[in-house]
Amino acid sequence: MRKRMTFVVLATATAAGVGALTAPAAQADGFGDTTISSTTVTSKDVVVGTTKAKTFTVAVTATDNSGIKDAQIYVDGPSYGYLDATGPAKCVASATDAHTSTCTASFTVDPRVDFIDNDPAGTWYANVLVDANDDDYMNTEKAASFTVRRAAKLTVNASPEPVRKGRTITVTGALTRANWETAAYAGYTVQPVTLEFRKKNSSTYTAVKTVKSAAAGALKTTVTAVEDGYFRWNFAGTGTTGPVKSTADFVDVR
């Protein structure tokens, strides 16, 4: 009997830890001469808020001497994280090689439907089963990796405005992130957030200083007024939370 991928949600799987994305350890088995040359996720970072669904695709390129018949693709992640494709994968033969096809499947993640808490945030994997016309096949688990992360928000306020040169400017703000369990944004604490400044007639921001978010994600620091320009906060993100930049707040220095 041919071995097939088992599409099962592992509700007791351990959630992925926070950290840099690493290459997956692909596990493959098959029959015959079917090969998979590439598996690509169109969005390597799927950042999800509290209300809007996000769509991405997975494309698999495979070859067999009889040609490719179809492909089954699913994605899974930490804890109970799991998504089926929104429809059958569409396989299109190469214009230069009829033995090779690229099969593409679309996925939609909706935080209101797919998540009951924040455990699925982290590293996810695309898993692929390709069937050839002669019943050869290739089954590859963890064929590609990507992240599903909680969306973040940042606010900023620089005051007083205007301010005299040499006086102190106080820059405040707040870092919050999506909580999929409550469908609301909540403060993200003890996170490094960088204050950046752009001169009035410049298009380039430079880092001023980095502070850590406090209770409720609050941010606060002071700088010396030197010249007209814009202040913003910049959060680089984590393994479970996406990056975000605040809007800019202009300060008139007189």
Side-chain angles (χ1 to χ4, degrees), residues 2 4 34 62-72 88-93 98-104 129-138:
R2 294 174 56 189
R4 294 285 185 172
T34 307
T63 302
D64 187 272
N65 63 2
S66 68
I68 301 302
K69 180 170 61 177
D70 58 36
Q72 299 174 51
K90 182 179 180 180
C91 295
V92 178
H99 300 149
T100 298
S101 292
T102 297
C103 301
T104 304
L129 170 63
V130 175
D131 282 308
N133 289 317
D134 61 0
D135 286 336
D136 290 353
Y137 71 95
M138 176 55 68

Side-chain angles (χ1 to χ4, degrees), residues 216-254:
L219 300 165
K220 183 176 182 180
T221 192
T222 58
V223 295
T224 301
V226 176
E227 58 185 318
D228 292 354
Y230 301 84
F231 288 95
R232 74 177 184 187
W233 293 105
N234 185 353
F235 173 61
T238 67
T240 58
T241 304
V244 64
K245 296 180 178 68
S246 72
T247 58
D249 191 13
F250 180 76
V251 175
D252 179 13
V253 178
R254 299 180 178 179

Side-chain angles (χ1 to χ4, degrees), residues 54 99 167 191-192 215 243:
K54 291 292 185 74
H99 300 149
R167 295 290 180 86
Q191 298 301 312

